[in-house]
């Protein structure tokens, strides 16, 4: 028997509430670990829910450029 993936089911899973919760939880944890001036932003894409953590203030941008804060937070 040949395996056939259920693309529609996988897309529903990647866009669903569970995936959104996991992405939000991870994003908020990373933004908090990075410190002041770092924020998390989320978006619903065509096939999945995604998020990004970025430096929102000039001081955070400067600190990230100098100390690679986001790289260090990611591990």
């Amino acid at each position: 028997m040949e395996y056939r993936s259920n693309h529609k089911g996988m897309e529903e899973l990647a866009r669903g509430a569970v995936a959104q919760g996991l992405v939000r939880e991870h994003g908020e944890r990373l933004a908090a670990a990075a410190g002041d001036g770092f924020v998390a932003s989320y978006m619903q894409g065509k096939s999945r829910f995604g998020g990004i953590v970025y430096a929102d203030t000039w001081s955070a941008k400067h600190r990230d450029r100098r100390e690679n804060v986001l790289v260090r937070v990611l591990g």
Side-chain angles (χ1 to χ4, degrees):
M1 181 175 213
E2 185 178 318
Y3 171 76
R4 290 188 174 191
S5 64
N6 181 349
H7 292 290
K8 191 170 186 171
M10 292 299 289
E11 187 175 311
E12 286 179 23
L13 182 64
R15 294 180 68 166
V18 174
Q20 288 183 18
L22 290 171
V23 169
R24 288 182 190 277
E25 178 184 326
H26 191 64
E28 293 301 323
R29 185 169 36 85
L30 291 173
D36 290 336
F38 290 89
V39 295
S41 177
Y42 311 99
M43 60 248 145
Q44 178 63 62
K46 185 176 180 181
S47 63
R48 69 188 70 124
F49 187 77
I52 185 172
V53 176
Y54 63 95
D56 192 39
T57 63
W58 285 109
S59 62
K61 289 176 186 180
H62 179 69
R63 208 171 93 234
D64 187 40
R65 192 176 313 119
R66 189 173 23 121
E67 302 172 15
N68 286 324
V69 174
L70 291 176
V71 173
R72 292 174 191 267
V73 167
L74 285 171

